[in-house]
Amino acid sequence: MKPRKIKDRIYWMGYVDWDTRLFDSLIPLPDGTSYNAFLIEGSEKTVLIDTVESQFAGELLAQLDNIPKLDYIVSLHAEQDHSGSIPQVLSRYPDAKLITSPKAKGMLMDLLRIPEETFIIVSDGETLSLGDKTLEFIHTPWVHWPETMVAYLKEDKILFSCDFFGSHIATSDLYVSDEARVYEAAKRYYAEIMMPFRNMIKKNLDKITAYDIAVIAPSHGSIYPRPSFIIDAHKDWIEGPSKNLVVLPYITMHNSTKKMVDFFVESLVENGVSVEQFHLGVTDIGKLAMALVDAGTIVIGTPTVLAGPHPNVVYGAYLANALRPKAKFLSIIGSYGWGGKTVEILAGMIPNLKVEVIEPVLAKGLPSEDNLKALENLAKTIAMKHKEQGFV
Ligand code: FEO
């Protein structure tokens, strides 16, 4: 794709990746993604903000063909999907300086072996004059790495935010045109990588909303012409109350756990609680992560195998523990054949979750009448606790 004009002497560059379906060998990309870079031509200096994954460097270099001189490259975030092509761009423009936050310098030296003399370090709030345009660098750590920062182009009121406010969508839309679709993709992105750092991200949100922002230009997905849409969405995900929702990741081997899950879900619904259940053998983990943004309660459904939880459930529990959702309650349901330590093992795997654990329900073999009664009571208890918390 050719460079696309955003405003006078400000261009989108980068690569729209329609084909990749897994990011970091972990995160599903149902809609692909994009790696956005931005070129700003001031009256005196020209700057490139971020680059692309190294395998797409050729496309970025072709977009730069008509740019005879590059004074600066700004790296807002050291992760390689944005920094990966910096060495190739520096080879084309050997006199360009690389502008980073203090922490990013060491990271880029390690990750890409960029020589130390190439760097200019900028402190929080420091400005860079391009002549008639001015960039201000705002440190926004832990979005989702420790070195992250954003850049604000004062005269044009554009915030270049890199991963912050990003969404994994490959699209020909330079600007967001379908907010509902982008909301979904941005929430997925937040859930997958930002949620564990939401306390830091809240501080960063407070910091950047002090600026007069006309446009947000992230380094994944389309540009936001209405910044309040995505800022308000992030505020809700970070600070909004949990919902009257049970998220139920589960798996089953001989259908006993499935019978418990079906009965329990019906009981929850009868008690006015919404449910999202995810079969861990087939689910898109991004969907599970998104549901965890809103969950008031997490209930894990697992059979016992090899005296402990099913390995797919171990994976799901590890993920939930790493994502640190704001859910307030947790329980475990499931079936076993002859014994085991499923509850103890699972409970030991989720130290990051600040939850009240509600009495688990385990059935020996097929659920008995007593087991079903216990599931019904669990559903009633969850409904009552959600009501007490004011979850709606
Ligand atoms: Fe889009 Fe953290 O990289």
Side-chain angles (χ1 to χ4, degrees):
M1 202 175 277
K2 290 180 179 169
R4 301 179 76 179
K5 185 174 176 178
I6 298 172
K7 286 186 81 172
D8 185 36
R9 291 176 288 127
I10 305 170
Y11 297 90
W12 172 91
M13 293 186 176
Y15 185 74
V16 180
D17 183 355
W18 299 89
D19 301 333
T20 302
R21 285 291 173 271
L22 200 60
F23 190 83
D24 286 350
S25 299
L26 173 68
I27 295 169
L29 296 179
D31 299 307
T33 190
S34 68
Y35 312 99
N36 304 331
F38 299 97
L39 186 84
I40 306 167
E41 295 180 297
S43 57
E44 293 174 18
K45 304 286 185 187
T46 297
V47 59
L48 180 71
I49 297 182
D50 285 328
T51 67
V52 296
E53 278 276 7
S54 60
Q55 76 232 54
F56 306 122
E59 280 81 355
L60 178 62
L61 289 173
Q63 292 163 341
L64 288 164
D65 270 350
N66 295 326
I67 307 300
K69 184 167 186 274
L70 198 59
D71 298 284
Y72 305 107
I73 304 166
V74 173
S75 176
L76 297 175
H77 173 28
E79 193 170 10
Q80 293 92 325
D81 52 327
H82 308 292
S83 67
S85 298
I86 288 174
Q88 292 92 325
V89 176
L90 283 172
S91 292
R92 166 87 63 91
Y93 303 99
D95 295 329
K97 289 292 180 188
L98 179 57
I99 295 177
T100 70
S101 69
K103 280 204 172 107
K105 176 182 172 183
M107 295 170 86
L108 289 169
M109 288 172 66
D110 290 338
L111 292 170
L112 300 170
R113 303 295 164 202
I114 296 172
E116 186 166 13
E117 60 272 18
T118 311
F119 287 84
I120 295 175
I121 300 305
V122 285
S123 54
D124 189 21
E126 191 168 335
T127 58
L128 174 74
S129 174
L130 307 177
D132 59 347
K133 294 183 186 293
T134 315
L135 272 176
E136 179 175 342
F137 301 101
I138 308 161
H139 289 192
T140 50
W142 291 106
V143 182
H144 56 127
W145 281 18
E147 85 301 356
T148 47
M149 66 175 184
V150 299
Y152 179 66
L153 190 60
K154 288 186 171 186
E155 291 76 9
D156 299 278
K157 300 180 181 172
I158 300 176
L159 185 78
F160 298 96
S161 63
C162 199
D163 275 353
F164 208 0
F165 308 117
S167 63
H168 282 312
I169 298 184
T171 172
S172 59
D173 291 348
L174 182 59
Y175 291 95
V176 171
S177 62
D178 181 345
E179 287 188 346
R181 182 177 180 225
V182 172
Y183 179 94
E184 192 80 359
K187 185 176 184 180
R188 173 188 277 268
Y189 190 61
Y190 164 82
E192 287 163 341
I193 63 168
M194 308 278 179
M195 184 155 61
F197 310 106
R198 63 182 174 277
N199 292 336
M200 286 302 300
I201 292 174
K202 180 186 164 354
K203 286 184 190 160
N204 292 328
L205 264 180
D206 293 344
K207 199 170 178 180
I208 62 152
T209 47
Y211 289 76
D212 181 10
I213 301 168
V215 167
I216 293 178
S219 293
H220 296 292
S222 300
I223 296 169
Y224 298 94
R226 196 171 75 85
S228 61
F229 149 62
I230 197 65
I231 289 172
D232 290 348
H234 276 72
K235 282 182 180 165
D236 182 45
W237 300 331
I238 291 167
E239 301 180 82
S242 297
K243 296 200 164 70
N244 180 23
L245 170 69
V246 167
V247 170
L248 206 172
Y250 78 101
I251 202 155
T252 191
M253 290 164 67
H254 299 289
N255 266 336
S256 297
T257 300
K258 178 70 163 66
K259 282 186 198 306
M260 296 176 76
V261 165
D262 289 347
F263 181 86
F264 178 57
V265 167
E266 205 162 303
S267 296
L268 285 167
V269 172
E270 280 169 5
N271 282 281
V273 180
S274 299
V275 185
E276 290 197 44
Q277 72 182 63
F278 298 90
H279 187 298
L280 290 167
V282 297
T283 196
D284 166 346
I285 58 160
K287 284 271 191 190
L288 171 58
M290 282 169 74
L292 288 173
V293 174
D294 298 321
T297 297
I298 302 166
V299 177
I300 300 170
T302 183
T304 294
V305 56
L306 301 172
H310 191 284
N312 287 39
V313 169
V314 169
Y315 175 68
Y318 178 85
L319 202 65
N321 186 60
L323 292 176
R324 300 170 186 246
K326 60 191 176 195
K328 287 265 195 296
F329 308 102
L330 183 137
S331 192
I332 298 164
I333 64 174
S335 170
Y336 63 95
W338 44 263
K341 295 193 170 176
T342 292
V343 168
E344 294 90 326
I345 293 170
L346 272 180
M349 290 186 61
I350 49 173
N352 292 340
L353 300 187
K354 305 300 174 216
V355 289
E356 176 189 332
V357 177
I358 308 173
E359 184 69 23
V361 180
L362 289 195
K364 189 169 186 191
L366 278 174
S368 65
E369 282 304 315
D370 283 350
N371 297 140
L372 296 180
K373 189 72 200 157
L375 287 170
E376 206 170 354
N377 287 339
L378 178 59
K380 283 186 178 145
T381 303
I382 290 170
M384 184 192 71
K385 288 188 179 287
H386 282 195
K387 203 166 180 182
E388 284 170 2
Q389 293 286 329
F391 295 165
V392 287

